[in-house]
Amino acid sequence: MSTYARLPVEFERGEGIWLWDTEGRQYLDALSGIAVCGLGHAHPEVARAIAEQAGQLIHTSNLYGIPHQRLLADRLCELSGMERVFFCNSGAEANEAAIKIARLYGHSRGIDMPAIVVMENSFHGRTLATLTATGNRKVQAGFEPLVQGFVRVPYNDLDAIRKVAQNSDDVVAVLVEPVQGEGGINVPDENYLVELRRLCDEHSWLLMLDEIQSGMGRTGAWFAYQHAGIQPDVVGLAKALGNGVPVGACLARGEAAGMLTPGSHGTTFGGNPLATRAALAVLDIMQQDDLVAAAGARGRQLLAGFRDRLGELPGIVSIRGLGMMIGIELDRPCAELVGNALNRGLLINVTAERVVRLLPPLITTEHQAEMIIEKVSELIQEFLTETNT
Ligand SMILES: Cc1ncc(COP(=O)(O)O)c(C=O)c1O
């Protein structure tokens, strides 16, 4: 189906931060398949783990125990401070699990119509519940009737949430991205998550964090909430967890961790031996190579580099980010930059119409980060000059 407006290129192979198309042209990938290939392309240890597992056992069913799934759950809980994990296959599904947990939690507290606070400019996925949670009318248009039970407030606005608390007895949870990705790389104020945690505690709401884009080391911490020193009740992961092998996870702790019981939720492929073995290899490599710290360092280098090169230019509204989630906001729509970049052998993305979004692999070297700064700055400078005249 014509679901995607595809760019006119097809890739054949990759290595690290590089891709080659079917004509043999080389590209620098500053997008990582939208925050998926944190370890770059064709990582030999990931490839070996997948091949080995494929030769041994790909799938059984969640009717049976799955040793790699158990190991992966333990490792994720240890890294995140969470207690239990439900495995699925995508980000939307991780959020669906979170939404179902919130509703069960609400009913367990005697609330018949539980509501979840969600944010403007958020993105949570394309299923009916997650597109309803998403704060973007374009994502929702045509799919009405939407799902009930969501209350929307502006992002990074604690007073708006305090007002909701005053006016509604049905709220049971807050679902929020620690850094908004699709919404334009929006980094909230430093105390935002701390204060959200406090508000959730005060009202016995679940704090549910969508770390699907910001998780798995991308921001320079395993999970972005760790920068704030708080502990959420529910966390959604996917994207970089399998470095391209589809695997998602919904992590929970405390009361939230006990909501799903046999028969209340499930999915055929969720956490199968192949997917969980791949994710275990990803965690091994990230730990061996200290890639979380590397992402922090490269992210600071990229931000400083862009601020230095572009910061003073008229036409640049803001250069922002956390770790290797970088956004450069222009004062004009700039979607055509994606095609311009492609013509020069560079993969970038534009989101929220005016924000150049960069999500390079965490394995990007210092030298490669300089190349990204150079190439992207040149591209933006030229675009601003051309569109000024
Ligand atoms: C923050 C966030 N949540 C959820 C999703 C949906 O994930 P998926 O496309 O794997 O369903 C995305 C995808 O871009 C995302 O960035």
Side-chain angles (χ1 to χ4, degrees):
M1 297 188 192
S2 57
T3 320
Y4 306 100
R6 296 182 197 274
L7 289 156
V9 65
E10 295 185 341
F11 296 110
E12 199 167 60
R13 70 187 175 89
E15 190 183 319
I17 78 163
W18 302 103
L19 282 168
W20 284 265
D21 70 12
T22 44
E23 316 280 288
R25 263 195 89 199
Q26 188 176 354
Y27 299 78
L28 194 166
D29 184 0
L31 193 59
S32 314
I34 320 187
V36 169
C37 303
L39 309 182
H41 300 286
H43 194 291
E45 286 172 58
V46 179
R48 199 174 316 122
I50 295 170
E52 242 177 59
Q53 192 59 42
Q56 200 175 323
L57 189 65
I58 293 180
H59 181 87
T60 49
S61 157
N62 282 301
L63 291 171
Y64 315 105
I66 300 174
H68 288 116
Q69 186 182 123
R70 212 166 0 87
L71 281 174
L72 180 62
D74 287 346
R75 294 272 296 275
L76 287 175
C77 287
E78 200 178 303
L79 292 167
S80 65
M82 305 304 282
E83 291 167 4
R84 306 193 83 168
V85 185
F86 169 77
F87 286 103
C88 51
N89 314 285
S90 69
E93 260 188 285
N95 284 331
E96 281 281 341
I99 292 164
K100 287 177 79 171
I101 287 172
R103 288 195 166 184
L104 289 171
Y105 173 78
H107 292 302
S108 78
R109 306 176 70 80
I111 297 171
D112 292 335
M113 297 287 281
I116 300 171
V117 177
V118 290
M119 307 300 153
E120 286 172 9
N121 298 317
S122 61
F123 186 82
H124 297 297
R126 301 283 192 160
T127 62
L128 276 174
T130 57
L131 75 81
T132 304
T134 290
N136 179 346
R137 275 300 300 154
K138 277 194 204 154
V139 172
Q140 299 170 339
F143 298 110
E144 298 81 2
L146 301 181
V147 175
Q148 291 187 315
F150 293 96
V151 182
R152 193 170 310 285
V153 297
Y155 189 60
N156 197 25
D157 183 343
L158 292 162
D159 279 340
I161 299 185
R162 289 190 191 104
K163 272 192 203 121
V164 169
Q166 277 166 12
N167 298 327
S168 168
D169 293 330
D170 290 337
V171 173
V172 295
V174 176
L175 173 63
V176 59
E177 293 158 86
V179 176
Q180 286 188 332
E182 306 294 312
I185 311 291
N186 301 318
V187 185
D189 295 340
E190 231 167 77
N191 71 337
Y192 183 60
L193 286 183
V194 174
E195 204 45 34
L196 267 186
R197 176 70 275 177
R198 214 192 50 68
L199 275 169
C200 285
D201 287 340
E202 186 183 329
H203 298 286
S204 300
W205 299 343
L206 299 179
L207 178 57
M208 311 202 296
L209 298 184
D210 179 341
E211 290 258 12
I212 286 150
Q213 194 163 143
S214 59
M216 299 306 296
R218 175 142 299 274
T219 67
W222 276 98
F223 307 101
Y225 63 81
Q226 291 169 334
H227 293 291
I230 58 134
Q231 194 63 45
D233 302 295
V234 177
V235 177
L237 298 179
K239 286 196 181 277
L241 181 55
N243 207 56
V245 174
V247 50
C250 179
L251 287 58
R253 73 179 178 101
E255 246 183 284
M259 287 298 146
L260 297 176
T261 49
S264 65
H265 197 47
T267 177
T268 296
F269 296 125
N272 83 9
L274 185 74
T276 46
R277 175 79 188 272
L280 279 167
V282 168
L283 293 185
D284 284 344
I285 296 159
M286 287 184 65
Q287 287 181 313
Q288 272 162 34
D289 297 350
D290 210 6
L291 289 179
V292 179
R298 282 300 79 71
R300 286 188 291 277
Q301 181 193 344
L302 285 162
L303 260 192
F306 284 123
R307 284 182 176 148
D308 188 42
R309 288 285 302 262
L310 300 172
E312 304 300 318
L313 282 189
I316 301 288
V317 173
S318 146
I319 299 171
R320 53 184 182 251
L322 191 62
M324 294 184 97
M325 277 181 97
I326 308 263
I328 303 170
E329 182 174 349
L330 273 51
D331 65 355
R332 61 201 78 175
C334 58
E336 67 192 77
L337 275 174
V338 172
N340 298 355
L342 191 74
N343 289 338
R344 296 177 186 197
L346 174 68
L347 303 191
I348 62 165
N349 175 249
V350 168
T351 191
E353 284 181 8
R354 289 158 195 247
V355 183
V356 175
R357 176 172 51 162
L358 304 174
L359 301 161
L362 312 189
I363 50 143
T364 302
T365 63
E366 205 174 325
H367 174 65
Q368 290 166 339
E370 284 307 315
M371 285 171 57
I372 294 173
I373 295 166
E374 183 67 32
K375 280 172 180 277
V376 174
S377 298
E378 220 176 77
L379 192 80
I380 292 178
Q381 261 165 328
E382 282 181 20
F383 173 76
L384 288 174
T385 311
E386 278 163 22
T387 49
N388 270 340
T389 54

